[in-house]
Structure formats: structure tokens, C-alpha cells
Amino acid sequence: MNQTRSLIAETASRLFADFAGAAADPSLWREDLWRAVDEMGLTRPLAAGPGDVEAAGFADAAEIIRAAGRYAVPLPLPETILASWLIASAGLPVPEGPLTIASVTPGPDLRLSRRRGGWKLSGIARTVPWGRYAMMLIVALEGAEGSRIALANPAQAEIHEGRNLAGEPRDDLVYAGASLSDDAVAPMPARLGPDALFLRGALSRAWQIVGALERVLELCVQYAGERVQFGRPIGKFQAIQHGLAVLAGEVAAARAAAAAASALLDEGEARFAVAAAKLRASEAAGSAAAIAHQVHGAIGFTQEYPLHQSTRRLWSWRDEFGRENDWGAEIGRAVSAQGADALWPFITDSGKGMQPPPKPFEREA
Amino acid sequence: MFDLRFEEILLPSDAPQLRREVRAFLDEEIAAGNWTPNSNFSAGFSPAFSRKLGARGWIGMTWPKAFGGHERSMLHRYIVTEELLAAGAPVAAHWVADRQSGPLILRVGSERQCREILPRIARGECFFCIGMSEPDSGSDLASIRTRAVPTDGGWRIRGRKLWTSFAHHCHYALVLCRTAPDGADRHAGFSQFIVDLSLPGIDIRPVVNLAGEHDFNEVIFDDVWIPDGMLLGKVGEGWSQVMGELAYERSGPERFLSTVYLLRELVREVGGELERRQAEEIGRFVAHLWTLRQMSLSVAGMLERGDVPELQPALVKELGNRFEQEIPEVSRRLVSPLSAKRRDEGANSFAAALEASILHAPSFSLRGGTREILRGIIARGLGLR
């Protein structure tokens, strides 16, 4: 890891490790934690101003996201990092405070239309992470004239509260002709595809999963070394050792995929690599959670023991920004369209040039 | 704690050029019908093909030029080997010699052994097999009983080795022997020898596998005399030498490419209009394949840096073998039952590829270190053992 990246990782980890009990109830807003993260300059590394930690690219920013996953930080930190990146890329000023993005591709349900002096936003933004607490929702919308990004205040929406399996807020925001000023909307930068935000959301969740997986493995190894049954630590039994070896493989694979995808994304659009990384991470999330609970026995199944703080997030994050089977279907179709003899070159080129499908998978149902 | 990182690798700038050269060569070979691609690297023993590769400088790539090598990096070697495996080329003849026997000789062998053997391997003219396992010693390698007793100007070897793939076609076996009695330290008292398989007293008996193929052998050493100059490395250092040799054996892309040809045939078989389930499973395999390749490239980078990782190659092989075995198990359910059974011409048809994959699949998680041994190595790397 280069020096900047490890410095970013260390800064984030040290701060988040201090948030003891931060994961207690993620539906409660922790203004103190948000201030601490913001003051440390970790909230907009890809749109850094004075006092902000500056990330050279996604791969560097990912270290903050991975740490947020590991320490179960109850804040829309990945969302703010991505939103601020996109806003800055579009040449707009980045608003203060926590920001958020939609975790499903906005579909025909959410529409921008022209009005005098600005825009009107109508429809539903679904399962918005931390929607009820965010200062601004950033969405990427496709229209007749191309892709646009829009900044909409959640306060202008009717908020239907929801949560994921980890209890993190996932709210539906219903907009009924909300007025947006002209400077709240901008064209999507030409070099980015319409899915650029959703893709980075997927890679962020992959990194959050990696962080949670690392935490889960750490808990398992520690527990297996301390829990004594039949006269020895359970980690001495082959069945436990083999389960943890498989878990380690899943952690390593998820991280390797996310790291490779991040490096490629920093070189240019990398849809296949991101899809593969999210697929691999989503799959690892399920396998790892199962093994971890098995190794921990009943104590791991309690509210009191910390394992569920990570496993409920694994079960949640694996479904957000595309499940493994959704990304799998897209990759499968892309590979099939290129033909059997293009399979190996596709792999060695890391799927360069794989285009979004005509119908993104969210719209299939 | 433990480090499970697989850092991204930057391939050398001439990598695309080298890859194109290898692909062009393979395309010519396939077009000429010189062999049928099948990608299961334990089959496809072709001295003629190995010589062609040797002539192109694609064997012994990382060795010193003084010993017939080409002083290229582990990453260059990785590019060549992955292209050969992905194409299902017949690399079995020189594979072991290039991958592990040659590198071991280079590391611990005498000047004379290096001068006399390495250039022949690099030319694709000298083939090695692995003399480790015995009838009573598989995963428990330290329990081997083949003995080498010092005698006038040499050693006498007595015992039997098992599995020894392609011993019936190889020039040499790299044989692990006991040279000191079993003592308190299980790993002490071993030495390795380079044994010329044409010597008197060596009996090679075929062991046919369940696919009806003869790769395996039992090799019986009946007081075989070999000269002193064929001791490899130092007396008593056999165990640590073998561990180094196994590290080479475990770290390559062959650990997940055994059934990539079936995946290719599956894509060909299902054609253009995919059902959702077919798309999902194919996409999943492609994502896993890409991930495994990234990890394997990273290991090649570690070797190039001079590291000798144990944990990372074990992880790649453990994941890779499961991936290889899943491809036939899933593929058979994604096509119509008739497609899986139909007889087509040419070994590349889906049905033929599926059949061969199913039959060979059990061996993937046995050869080069069983799944159980690998998981134990990983557990040790996690600090559990």
C-alpha cells in the first residue's frame, strides 16, 4: 500500500475505533460522530477543500470506506464521499453536512421536468440510505436530453422511514413536484456514464463488506483461541480450523476483487471489474456470516455479543447496489454476447468496454 | 496479526506484446490441428510441443542465461503459462521441470547439475517427475520410507514411490529419501536425489486412473545405485528443500484453470439468448475466474519480489480448486440433458468437455496438496495452529 493510502487508512481506523458503542442503534443520529469525522476531514476526500484529507482516487478513498465498514460507523459516510465526488465533478459547489445517494437505480418512478427558473422533481427515491438525516440527496437521472445529476433536499419530500436488516435507515423519499433551482441540476460529466454513481455505490458497498468481513474474521480467530471446550481452545479442532480457513479465503477474495476494481476505476470506467467485485463481496458476505455464527455457537447469536453488528450489516450490504445474482446475470449476458472465444481475452482485459445493458436489472421485475 | 492482502499488480509494459506473440503461436498450432485443446494440465504430454516452446524461449524463462534461461521476470513467465493453460495446450511434458524441479536445482543444486540439466530443460528436451508420495505416505510426507544409503562414490536407493505422473516418459525423478534414521525431529534426516530413470533397478508400473488414462505410476527402486553428483542440495536438508519445491508447485494459475475450457464450451453451447439462470451462473463463474486471476497475479508479483509466501498460494489453490470443481457440477444443469450427452466430433464439444471435467474433478483437490492440508496451512497462517 502506498504511503498516502496507508495514512488515510490509519487516520480513519484510529478515529472510528474510538466510537465505542457507536453501532448501538444506527437509526439514531449521532451528530457528535458526524462532527468528529467531518472535523478530521474524512467526509469529502474526492472533493477535498482546505482541512480535508485528500484522496488521489477511489482506491485511496476506499480505505475510509473499508474502515467505516469494519467499525460499523452509523453515518452516511460512503454516501457523502460519493455524492461530494459527483457534485464536484459536475462543477457544482458541495453542500455542507451529511449527503446521500439512492441505493437503487432511479427508474421511471423519479423524474425531472423543466419549470420556470428551474426544475421540478416528482416521484419516489427508494431505500435512500440515511434519507431522513441527510442534508441533500444526490441522484443521477436519465432523460431525453441525456444524464443529469440533481441535488434535492430530503426536507422537500414526504419521508417514509424504513431500515435494512442492520437497522440502518433506508427511507423512501416521495417528491411531489418539488422545486429545484437551476443551480441544483447539472449535466453528468461527459466522461462518466449515466451509471457512474450507482457503480461507485456498488464498489463502496463491496469495500464496506470487506471491512465487515475483516472484523468478523478477527472476532472468530479471537473467539476460537479463547473459548475452551473439551479441555482445549476450540480453535484446536480441525473442523473449526477448516471453517475459518474457508472464511479467510472469502475475505481475501473479496478484498482482492475490490482492490483490483478500484485500481481499474481510477484508470477509466471499469464496469465489469466493479460488477465482479460487488458479486464476489456479496457472495463472501453470506458465506462468511454463516461460518462465523457457526464458530461462535450460541453466544454469537445474542444481541450482547458484537458479532451481529457485523453480520447484520453483511446481510444488508450484500443486497444493496446489486445482488450477486443481478450482477452475475449482467456479466453472463455480456460474455455470452461476445462469444465463447472472447471469454479468455475478456478476463485478461478485465472486461474492458463492457457496456451497461439496455435494461438495468432493477427494472426487470 | 495475519496478512491476507493480495496487492494489485502492474504487469510489465511489454506484457501485451508477449501475450500477442503467445496467442499468435497458439492460434497457428490449433489451426494446423497439431493438438486438441483440453486444458487439463495433467494430460497432453507432447515432447514435440515442449521443444517448440523451448525454441521460443518460453521454458526456464526466469533462469540465468548461463544455464540456458532467459532472465525474464516471474510476471513474464506468468503471462506465457496462463495463455498456454487457457488454450488447453499440451504442456505436461516439461511442466514439472519448468515449474519446480528446475527452480529447485537452480536454488540448491551444484554448478555441474545446473550446467548439465537446466539448459536441457529450457530447450524442452528434459522432463522430470516428482518422487515424493509413497503407497503409505501421501499427505503425511514425513512418514516416507524410501531410503538412500551412502556407498562407494554414490548412494543406493531402495523403496517405492507412487503417483509419480509421467514417470514412464520422463528422464529424471526428483526423489525424496530418508538418509538418517527416524528421530525426535520428524522433519530431519531427509535428502533429495536426481535419479536418472533409465538406470538399472528401476521398475515403473502403470497406475491407470478412473478415466482410463495412464498418467500415474508406481516406481520401484531396487537398490538403485546413483553417483554422488546426483545428490541435490545437502544431506539432511531434504525436508526444507521439499517445502520450497511445494511452494513453487502451489503458486501457479493452473490451480484454477483446469476447467476453464468447459466454461468456454458452456458459453458456446448456451448461445446468444440466455435464460436468467444461465446468465447468472456464467456471470458468477466469470467474476470468480477474474478474481482468482487477480490473486494469482499478485502471488506472481510476490515471487518476483523474492518473497516466499505460504499463506497466499494456499488460499488461491483452496479457492481455485473449489471453483474448478463447481464448473462441471453447475454446467451439467444449465443445458438440456441431451446436450450433455450428445456425441459430437472433436474433443471440444460441450459434452466431451463436461465428461472429462466430471471424471477428473476429484483430482483437483487432491493433487499438489489436498484441500484438507491446505486448510491446515491457512489455519496455521491465521495463528490457530
Side-chain angles (χ1 to χ4, degrees):
Chain A
M1 214 192 276
N2 69 45
Q3 239 189 357
T4 313
R5 198 173 297 174
S6 40
L7 195 58
I8 292 175
E10 242 179 76
T11 306
S13 293
R14 242 185 289 122
L15 178 64
F16 300 157
D18 282 343
F19 292 176
D25 180 357
S27 70
L28 300 174
W29 181 247
R30 297 291 303 275
E31 181 64 20
D32 56 332
L33 301 186
W34 177 261
R35 286 247 180 82
V37 178
D38 205 19
E39 265 152 42
M40 194 60 85
L42 292 171
T43 53
R44 50 206 71 211
L46 296 168
D52 287 325
V53 164
E54 184 165 0
F58 190 93
D60 284 354
E63 285 304 306
I64 303 172
I65 298 172
R66 181 171 69 94
R70 184 189 176 99
Y71 293 101
V73 172
L75 299 168
L77 183 51
E79 291 81 2
T80 301
I81 290 175
L82 293 187
S84 54
W85 161 77
L86 185 58
I87 294 167
S89 299
L92 295 174
V94 180
E96 290 294 317
L99 310 173
T100 190
I101 63 180
S103 68
V104 299
T105 309
D109 284 351
L110 194 62
R111 301 165 305 279
L112 255 187
S113 50
R114 270 272 176 212
R115 65 165 179 85
R116 215 166 23 142
W119 301 82
K120 255 186 352 176
L121 183 67
S122 295
I124 310 178
R126 298 185 193 279
T127 64
V128 175
W130 313 91
R132 71 190 83 150
Y133 296 128
M135 292 294 108
M136 203 66 77
L137 163 69
I138 287 73
V139 280
L141 296 170
E142 275 180 77
E145 295 144 45
S147 311
R148 286 195 175 79
I149 81 160
L151 279 62
N153 195 329
Q156 289 175 284
E158 189 182 292
I159 298 179
H160 298 253
E161 293 187 353
R163 48 173 184 68
N164 64 19
L165 275 177
E168 299 178 314
R170 293 295 186 263
D171 306 323
D172 286 352
L173 272 45
V174 183
Y175 287 92
S179 293
L180 304 184
S181 62
D182 229 356
D183 57 12
V185 178
M188 180 75 98
R191 73 183 191 293
L192 299 174
D195 277 344
L197 185 58
F198 188 81
L199 220 54
R200 282 160 180 77
L203 190 51
S204 291
R205 287 294 185 268
W207 276 112
Q208 287 169 265
I209 288 172
V210 169
L213 288 171
E214 292 176 330
R215 173 64 178 147
V216 160
L217 178 59
E218 180 184 67
L219 281 170
C220 284
V221 170
Q222 194 183 322
Y223 185 77
E226 288 169 0
R227 174 69 173 174
V228 173
Q229 288 287 271
F230 305 106
R232 72 204 79 173
I234 62 169
K236 296 296 178 197
F237 289 99
Q238 198 178 59
I240 300 290
Q241 289 179 357
H242 286 198
L244 294 186
V246 171
L247 172 49
E250 294 299 291
V251 177
R255 183 166 178 172
S262 301
L264 286 164
L265 192 60
D266 281 335
E267 288 169 25
E269 280 310 282
R271 189 179 179 86
F272 165 74
V274 172
K278 181 57 173 40
L279 184 157
R280 195 63 189 86
S282 287
E283 203 180 298
S287 310
I291 293 171
H293 277 292
Q294 197 59 28
V295 165
H296 275 83
I299 200 75
F301 195 62
T302 66
Q303 183 74 230
E304 171 198 328
Y305 187 86
L307 182 60
H308 76 94
Q309 300 292 1
S310 301
T311 54
R312 286 192 305 137
R313 281 170 173 79
L314 289 173
W315 291 325
S316 302
W317 294 338
R318 66 178 172 172
D319 285 347
E320 295 176 1
F321 293 94
R323 303 165 301 176
E324 61 268 40
N325 54 322
D326 298 318
W327 286 115
E330 181 178 323
I331 295 170
R333 289 197 177 114
V335 163
S336 159
Q338 294 195 7
D341 292 324
L343 171 64
W344 181 247
F346 185 90
I347 294 290
T348 56
D349 285 337
S350 290
K352 206 176 202 165
M354 184 174 97
Q355 294 301 310
K359 249 180 25 164
F361 41 76
E362 287 76 31
R363 298 180 213 174
E364 272 180 32
Chain B
M1 237 198 174
F2 42 83
D3 187 358
L4 299 179
R5 269 177 305 161
F6 286 79
E7 287 172 30
E8 319 85 81
I9 281 298
L10 212 54
L11 283 174
S13 56
D14 56 350
Q17 161 75 356
L18 176 59
R19 194 183 298 283
R20 271 194 301 271
E21 276 173 36
V22 180
R23 285 184 183 172
F25 164 72
L26 289 168
D27 286 342
E28 272 171 36
E29 287 278 303
I30 294 173
N34 292 340
W35 37 266
T36 317
N38 78 353
S39 187
N40 181 358
F41 72 91
S42 79
F45 192 100
S46 169
F49 186 75
S50 294
R51 255 196 307 276
K52 281 187 191 173
L53 291 183
R56 278 163 179 76
W58 291 339
I59 302 177
M61 287 177 73
T62 60
W63 305 346
K65 289 185 178 156
F67 298 135
H70 305 280
E71 295 177 3
R72 304 198 77 177
S73 75
M74 294 295 294
L75 296 171
H76 290 102
R77 178 174 185 274
Y78 188 94
I79 289 163
V80 171
T81 52
E82 71 169 347
E83 290 297 324
L84 291 170
L85 291 169
V91 295
H94 68 273
W95 198 256
V96 166
D98 182 47
R99 180 185 65 193
Q100 63 197 76
S101 322
L104 184 59
I105 292 169
L106 185 61
R107 214 169 51 121
V108 304
S110 66
E111 171 78 19
R112 184 171 164 199
Q113 288 165 346
C114 289
R115 270 190 292 106
E116 288 184 359
I117 296 175
L118 297 181
R120 288 162 55 206
I121 296 176
R123 282 199 298 271
E125 292 172 359
C126 179
F127 312 136
F128 272 72
C129 60
I130 303 170
M132 291 185 195
S133 294
E134 298 182 359
D136 292 336
S137 305
S139 290
D140 187 10
L141 192 56
S143 67
I144 58 152
R145 298 206 294 258
T146 298
R147 298 212 55 201
V149 175
T151 174
D152 243 352
W155 301 79
R156 284 210 175 274
I157 297 181
R158 170 184 280 257
R160 47 181 76 202
K161 292 295 182 186
L162 188 56
W163 313 127
T164 31
S165 300
F166 299 113
H168 55 304
H169 288 319
C170 283
H171 303 90
Y172 295 103
L174 237 174
V175 184
L176 183 71
C177 300
R178 278 213 159 279
T179 43
D182 214 341
D185 179 0
R186 285 199 90 219
H187 299 158
F190 293 105
S191 308
Q192 279 184 300
F193 297 88
I194 303 171
V195 180
D196 175 350
L197 288 169
S198 67
L199 290 172
I202 299 180
D203 183 13
I204 300 175
R205 300 179 187 172
V207 176
V208 177
N209 68 23
L210 57 74
E213 297 153 351
H214 172 203
D215 299 343
F216 291 144
N217 296 280
E218 187 174 23
V219 181
I220 299 160
F221 301 90
D222 187 7
D223 279 343
V224 178
W225 184 86
I226 61 167
D228 262 332
M230 293 315 239
L231 165 72
L232 177 64
K234 296 197 170 67
V235 174
E237 302 269 281
W239 188 258
S240 68
Q241 287 173 199
V242 141
M243 288 301 111
E245 196 186 334
L246 287 172
Y248 295 124
E249 189 173 335
R250 285 177 190 153
S251 47
E254 66 261 48
R255 299 313 172 183
F256 55 91
L257 288 177
S258 305
T259 49
V260 75
Y261 71 122
L262 173 59
L263 182 58
R264 194 163 42 230
E265 292 311 306
L266 175 66
V267 172
R268 205 185 313 275
E269 180 68 21
V270 300
E273 286 301 308
L274 299 195
E275 291 164 20
R276 166 95 184 183
R277 171 136 200 260
Q278 292 170 327
E280 283 181 10
E281 300 286 6
I282 289 172
R284 174 177 178 267
F285 282 138
V286 170
H288 276 244
L289 176 57
W290 176 79
T291 302
L292 285 162
R293 180 174 179 267
Q294 298 305 127
M295 295 171 84
S296 189
L297 266 170
S298 186
V299 170
M302 293 173 201
L303 295 173
E304 175 64 15
R305 269 205 309 266
D307 296 340
V308 189
E310 198 188 34
L311 179 55
Q312 280 86 348
L315 283 165
V316 177
K317 186 173 188 294
E318 206 283 334
L319 286 164
N321 289 158
R322 275 193 283 140
F323 165 77
E324 294 179 316
Q325 290 172 331
E326 278 171 16
I327 294 179
E329 290 304 295
V330 171
S331 296
R332 55 175 279 269
R333 289 185 256 125
L334 295 180
V335 300
S336 76
L338 267 177
S339 297
K341 301 284 180 245
R342 187 179 35 164
R343 293 272 138 261
D344 272 344
E345 271 128 34
N348 258 359
S349 72
F350 176 79
L354 179 63
E355 205 174 81
S357 295
I358 291 171
L359 290 176
H360 287 99
S363 70
F364 305 153
S365 51
L366 297 172
R367 63 190 179 194
T370 66
R371 163 174 295 137
E372 288 69 25
I373 290 294
L374 293 173
R375 288 178 177 178
I377 292 171
I378 296 165
R380 194 166 55 231
L382 294 175
L384 295 168
R385 292 176 72 199

